[in-house]
Amino acid sequence: MLARSANGLFWMSRYLERAEHTARLLITQFEAMEDRSVEEIDLSWRRIYLAMGRPPAGGDLSSNVENEDFMLMDAYTLADDLTFELVNSDSIRSSMYFARENARQIRNVVGRQFWTNLNSAYLELKNSRIEYIWINKPKNFYANQENNARTLSGYLDSSMYRDDGWHFLQMGRFIERTQLIAALLVSQIKVFSTDFNHQDSTWISLMVLCNARLAYRRQRSLFSINPRHVLEFLISDTAHPHSIHYSIERTIEHFAAISTGEARAELTAISRQLKSQLRSVKKNWRSRSMTDVQICENLQNLLSSNRETYSEIESAYFFN
Amino acid sequence: MMSPSEPTSLFSNYSVGNVFFDEMFRPDGTPRNACKMLHDALNDISIEEMRTMQEHAERFFLHEGITFAVYGNDGAQERIIPIDLLPRILTPKDWRILDLGLRQRLNALNQFLGDIYSAKKILSDGIIPTDLVLGCPQYRPEMRNINHPHGSFVSICGTDIVRTFGGFKVLEDNLRVPSGVSYMLANRQAVKSSIRDLFRRHRVRKIEHYGQALRQTLVEMSPNNKADPCIVLLTPGTYNSAFYEHLFLAREMGIELVQGEDLSVRRGKVFMRTTRGQRQVDVIYRRVDDDFIDPLVFRKDSLLGVPGLFSAYALGNVTLVNAPGTGVADDKSVYAYVPEMIRYYLSEEPVLANVETYLCRYPEQLEYVLDNLDKLVVKTVGGSGGYGMLVGPHATVTERAAYADVMRENPANYIAQPTLDLSCSPCITTSGVAPRHVDLRTFLLRAEDTRIVPGAFSRVALREGSLVVNSSQGGGGKDLWVLSK
């Protein structure tokens, strides 16, 4: 496959994953605004921005947490930033814009139906404004955005030929997912800590963010939520598609499919690096005695290693 | 007299004149035989219904991304080429003439290119002035003695045709990187889904196989008749106004769409950078202009091309389609000599006439043009897209005087033609259905065989009275139905 097309598929898929994730962050946030305390809502915004590694739009969030009006005004500004701001590379519009720009260049690879749906979804988003969303059930709007991104991935799953292009697309999806989940867990721990008093709802919302609520219940059958169990599930479960373990394992599989039959040293190094990431996920979660700080350190190490892996894939395949 | 409440039919206010050939109506206002069924069926549809269908078609274009880029002060904008849903009909007899004439013309033009880049017999025999050809900026001396598979320097040709009361005439031959074929196919798709029943009832010849025909043509152009050649389409990139078409064609043919940076030349061969290493390329359908294909030979500042590409091509290791240097044959001065080329190479009379053309390089013709600027259309010889032309009858005295001054500085750069009585076709406008001027761009393919899909991109001048159909100048398009009987 043409290296530039592979790069386009890889990034298109990353941006779609990111758009879906940001939409889910906002759904959860608007759900929280229905019945949670102002303090918890404020902390949830912090969780989002800390995970993205960027300051909130309009500056620090340390406003008067007792004031409901401030909470609403902040929510309006922050939702606008996370939905429409083009300079915020995590905003839904920005992610969809870049997914579309990548897809536009490889329309001969992705198929007409996928392109038309992506283009329509983007044009609809481009013509929306926060003021209209705000008065028209914002949660529904974000649910639609999440659905759009999922449907688009579904089109690709059901129609794409399983050649190298497909494997690059899947690698993009799972590398992005690993990074999004790892960053979210770090910020969850930093903002709420695993022994936070009013933790149930925040840990439930974390599971919703990782599409894990149902799967967790089925596996654990616990009456109350234990943050350590939630973390363990989201990091090391082997069957949940939004766990870190699952995402790294799929990345390894797709990478193996691409690199089969090639004896390049740099490919062997990438493979070794990915396997080492998987080993560290397995090993570290055998110990439940770690402090929050240690968990965060491990996750951050994983994040750096994962980013490094991407750079190596980039130089081995896209800019070789 | 109709009462205000009575619904108006689509053609109730349509006026047929005697000055221009009307594609649907005879001068007495009755529909032509081939158009009668279409006319009667459309007459049952209200203008509002038609406009709704038109809006749907435009939305279809936008959502499919059938757009072209327009650059202005606020950066690039994606725009659709306006579509007019009322189809234009050609009879089997009309098409037979076009088919015959276009094949004949392309054959002669290819022989001309093969000749001027080798023996130059047509020049030594005095059929065409030598300086006109060798002095043309599009003549590429680098092309001398380079052979092309099947003698096909132009494999992809987009010829513009107009119709007057005197019949079809060739307006220009586009022999470099002609565009528009994707719009022909998109218009057909939009029209088929909007007026499906009407389409079914007419026996319209199919055009959807264009992608296969193009691929087969490119296969036949592979060096040394390689059975399964690696074919790519070279695009200048997303910022090119025809980028949609490049994508569309690559997808239709199932080939890679590459940019200059994806290709490299080693040991006289062209390679494409893939995820599994370098892969040799055999045929390049290039949509990059001559000037930009190879910075080592042509424009040094080109970032769109591939260094060394021309050498690989000259060695016969890769075929460029179309060949570099074909622009000399669609230069507007050389155009005037195409009928002579046909007689010279084929010993036949041209089936399709040219538009009468004055070459301002000759003092007596320049004088005539300057004396009659108010009646003529003046164009630059290397221009395209309707840029830099003067439409004499629509220009002011001051504009004509200013243009004349510029012409006198370099007369050889200009040709002039009488204002054409371009035919009209019914179009949906803001004030109902009204006649608008149309032409048509046909698409020919030539390698071992010559192929022509029975259809065209029929361009429309959407402004009332305008004769400029170019999409870059606000023109639109409509579907052209070639009937099978």
Side-chain angles (χ1 to χ4, degrees), chain A residues 32-315:
Chain A
M33 285 169 61
E34 288 166 2
D35 58 2
R36 310 284 159 74
S37 68
V38 175
E39 185 191 6
E40 191 180 321
I41 293 165
D42 183 68
L43 289 171
S44 297
W45 284 120
R46 286 167 196 265
R47 173 175 65 185
I48 292 175
Y49 279 97
L50 192 62
M52 290 176 176
R54 65 175 65 249
D60 194 28
L61 283 167
S62 57
S63 56
N64 183 350
V65 292
E66 296 304 316
N67 189 320
E68 292 265 341
D69 290 341
F70 277 1
M71 184 272 282
L72 275 178
M73 284 188 282
D74 279 1
Y76 186 94
T77 307
L78 299 173
D80 189 19
D81 177 51
L82 293 170
T83 311
F84 294 111
E85 186 51 65
L86 272 178
V87 291
N88 176 353
S89 63
D90 292 298
S91 79
I92 301 174
R93 181 169 169 192
S94 173
S95 301
M96 289 296 280
Y97 170 83
F98 286 114
R100 178 180 180 268
E101 276 306 296
N102 277 286
R104 204 157 80 87
Q105 298 190 41
I106 49 168
R107 269 163 74 176
N108 54 325
V109 180
V110 291
R112 189 183 141 215
Q113 206 174 15
F114 170 79
W115 159 257
T116 311
N117 280 282
L118 173 58
N119 192 34
S120 303
Y122 174 72
L123 293 175
E124 194 186 321
L125 179 64
K126 189 181 152 209
N127 292 327
S128 302
R129 297 281 177 277
I130 191 69
E131 51 269 37
Y132 306 140
I133 298 168
W134 203 253
I135 53 172
N136 284 317
K137 299 187 178 165
K139 216 169 84 180
N140 288 359
F141 172 83
Y142 292 113
N144 271 342
Q145 298 307 313
E146 187 195 18
N147 267 342
N148 283 344
R150 280 184 175 181
T151 307
L152 288 164
S153 301
Y155 270 119
L156 295 168
D157 287 355
S158 67
S159 63
M160 257 189 93
Y161 192 68
R162 267 39 175 181
D163 61 1
D164 281 359
W166 162 255
H167 295 298
F168 276 105
L169 183 108
Q170 293 298 317
M171 276 210 308
R173 175 188 284 181
F174 287 110
I175 285 179
E176 181 70 18
R177 193 173 290 177
T178 304
Q179 293 186 8
L180 291 171
I181 303 289
L184 183 64
L185 297 187
V186 171
S187 74
Q188 172 84 13
I189 297 165
K190 286 188 174 169
V191 172
F192 296 107
S193 91
T194 52
D195 54 4
F196 188 63
N197 284 339
H198 310 95
Q199 53 200 5
D200 270 17
S201 58
T202 61
W203 290 92
I204 288 171
S205 78
L206 176 71
M207 283 193 286
V208 172
L209 284 173
C210 301
N211 279 314
R213 197 171 178 181
L214 181 63
Y216 182 85
R217 273 193 189 148
R218 286 165 65 104
Q219 293 303 311
R220 303 283 167 151
S221 305
L222 291 177
F223 180 71
S224 67
I225 301 290
N226 179 330
R228 289 296 177 125
H229 290 168
V230 173
L231 282 176
E232 184 179 316
F233 184 79
L234 293 176
I235 292 171
S236 63
D237 191 86
T238 55
H240 177 55
H242 285 256
S243 80
I244 291 176
H245 185 289
Y246 184 94
S247 302
I248 296 175
E249 210 166 34
R250 296 291 85 71
T251 309
I252 291 171
E253 275 174 20
H254 291 290
F255 181 76
I258 290 162
S259 55
T260 301
E262 289 207 71
R264 287 191 277 161
E266 65 265 38
L267 303 187
T268 316
I270 295 169
S271 174
R272 230 184 350 248
Q273 209 170 27
L274 282 167
K275 284 175 185 160
S276 141
Q277 286 168 21
L278 190 65
R279 268 196 307 275
S280 88
V281 165
K282 283 177 179 169
K283 193 181 82 187
N284 289 335
W285 288 96
R286 285 197 197 119
S287 159
R288 292 191 185 164
S289 56
M290 280 190 290
T291 63
D292 280 3
V293 173
Q294 285 170 321
I295 299 170
C296 285
E297 262 174 24
N298 282 338
L299 286 169
Q300 266 156 345
N301 288 340
L302 175 71
L303 267 171
S304 333
S305 164
N306 203 264
R307 286 192 194 110
E308 210 174 294
T309 307
Y310 164 67
S311 310
E312 281 161 25
I313 290 173
E314 189 178 48
S315 32

Side-chain angles (χ1 to χ4, degrees), chain B residues 15 90-91 121 177 251 287 294 329 338 347 365-366 377 482:
Chain B
S15 68
L90 287 190
T91 64
K121 283 184 187 162
V177 283
R251 193 181 68 198
R287 296 292 298 254
D294 182 350
V338 176
S347 305
Q365 296 193 30
L366 172 67
V377 176
V482 176

Side-chain angles (χ1 to χ4, degrees), chain B residues 222-298:
Chain B
S222 70
N224 309 316
N225 286 323
K226 199 170 174 184
D228 185 20
C230 175
I231 305 168
V232 298
L233 193 156
L234 176 63
T235 172
T238 48
Y239 296 109
N240 185 270
S241 59
F243 183 69
Y244 161 74
E245 177 153 302
H246 305 163
L247 275 164
F248 174 86
L249 292 174
R251 193 181 68 198
E252 285 292 297
M253 291 189 281
I255 63 171
E256 295 290 359
L257 179 68
V258 301
Q259 298 182 19
E261 64 195 32
D262 300 321
L263 301 178
S264 58
V265 177
R266 276 192 8 254
R267 298 184 179 184
K269 292 176 181 169
V270 180
F271 293 89
M272 163 173 70
R273 203 156 46 81
T274 77
T275 51
R276 292 189 183 260
Q278 303 287 338
R279 184 178 173 199
Q280 194 183 338
V281 174
D282 304 299
V283 181
I284 300 176
Y285 174 22
R286 51 101 181 191
R287 296 292 298 254
V288 174
D289 290 339
D290 285 2
D291 279 343
F292 299 97
I293 56 172
D294 182 350
L296 300 183
V297 179
F298 302 111

